[in-house]
Amino acid sequence: TPEEMMKVKGVSNVKVSPDGRRVVFTVTEAIMSDDKSENLTHIHLANIDGSDNRQITYGDKSCTNPQWSPDGRWLAFTSDRSGKNNLWLLRTDGGEAQQLTDVITGVSSFKWSPDNKQIAFIMADPITAEEEKAQKGKDDAKIVGEQLKMNRLWVISIEQDTPGKHESHLLTKGNYSIEDSGYYG
C-alpha cells in the first residue's frame, strides 16, 4: 500500500573511508504527521563489516552529501540547519557538528583538498537588494537573460582565521558560471 511504501527508508551517498575500514551513508525517511509531510535525511556511520552502525546527525533539518576528509578524521556535509544549505564539519570520533560556511544562496557541491586544509565549493551569486525587495513585494517576475546568477567557485580554510570564523575566498569572477555536475566525491 502507499502507506507501507512511505515506511521504507532509502540509503544513498555511500562512501568508504580513506583507510577502507568504515563507511558513511545517508538514510532518508518520510515524515508524515498532521502538520508535516516531508523527507528527512541524516548521516550514518558504520564499520565496513556492518558493526557499530549508528546515526551521527540529528534534528529536524536534513544533513546530506557526506564526504570524508582525506585523512579520515572529519566528515564535511551540507545541511540547511541555518536556513540555507551550508557546509558543516563533524569529527568522525564524535562531537557536535560545527558550521563551516554561512552563505546566503547555499552551497551546491564541494570537494576536500588533498591536504585536509581547505574545501572548494560552488555557490550561486546572491540576490541584490533590489531583487529581494521585489520578491518581498510579490513583484518577482523575471525576464530571461536579465539579472543572470552565476555559480562561483569558492575555497574555505578548515582552520579558523579568527576565533569562530572561517574565511572564504572567491576564485572565479567574470561572465561565466561554474558547472555544478552534482558530483560530491
Side-chain angles (χ1 to χ4, degrees), residues 6-173:
M6 296 307 290
K7 294 178 184 175
V8 176
K9 296 177 183 180
V11 174
S12 61
N13 294 299
V14 178
K15 303 215 175 64
V16 177
S17 65
D19 65 6
R21 295 177 21 195
R22 295 180 291 176
V23 64
V24 67
F25 56 96
T26 59
V27 175
T28 302
E29 64 180 306
I31 306 298
M32 309 272 290
S33 65
D34 291 338
D35 62 339
K36 192 182 279 191
S37 176
E38 65 185 23
N39 287 325
L40 185 62
T41 303
H42 279 291
I43 301 171
H44 292 243
L45 184 65
N47 290 331
I48 203 74
D49 65 2
S51 65
D52 196 25
N53 184 343
R54 56 191 156 84
Q55 183 175 334
I56 60 171
T57 62
Y58 298 89
D60 61 354
K61 298 291 185 178
S62 288
C63 300
T64 59
N65 309 317
Q67 285 188 30
W68 293 96
S69 63
D71 66 5
R73 294 178 41 220
W74 293 92
L75 287 170
F77 62 92
T78 55
S79 179
D80 62 351
R81 295 174 175 189
S82 61
K84 294 291 182 183
N85 206 40
N86 274 288
L87 282 173
W88 293 75
L89 288 177
L90 181 64
R91 293 190 63 84
T92 56
D93 60 0
E96 192 68 29
Q98 57 182 306
Q99 187 173 348
L100 184 61
T101 61
D102 187 15
V103 299
I104 297 169
T105 58
V107 171
S108 60
S109 65
F110 66 96
K111 185 85 172 161
W112 281 91
S113 67
D115 65 2
N116 300 295
K117 293 182 179 181
Q118 301 173 13
I119 295 178
F121 65 94
I122 296 173
M123 177 180 71
D125 289 336
I127 62 172
T128 64
E130 182 180 292
E131 291 169 321
E132 186 176 7
K133 182 180 176 186
Q135 283 179 354
K136 287 180 181 176
K138 303 293 185 205
D139 181 21
D140 55 356
K142 292 187 169 91
I143 299 172
V144 175
E146 286 188 18
Q147 299 173 332
L148 185 63
K149 299 298 177 197
M150 302 291 179
N151 287 327
R152 306 291 182 184
L153 182 61
W154 292 77
V155 171
I156 191 164
S157 175
I158 301 305
E159 295 180 13
Q160 296 176 349
D161 293 340
T162 58
K165 189 117 170 111
H166 299 269
E167 294 297 324
S168 299
H169 302 284
L170 177 63
L171 296 183
T172 60
K173 297 177 183 173

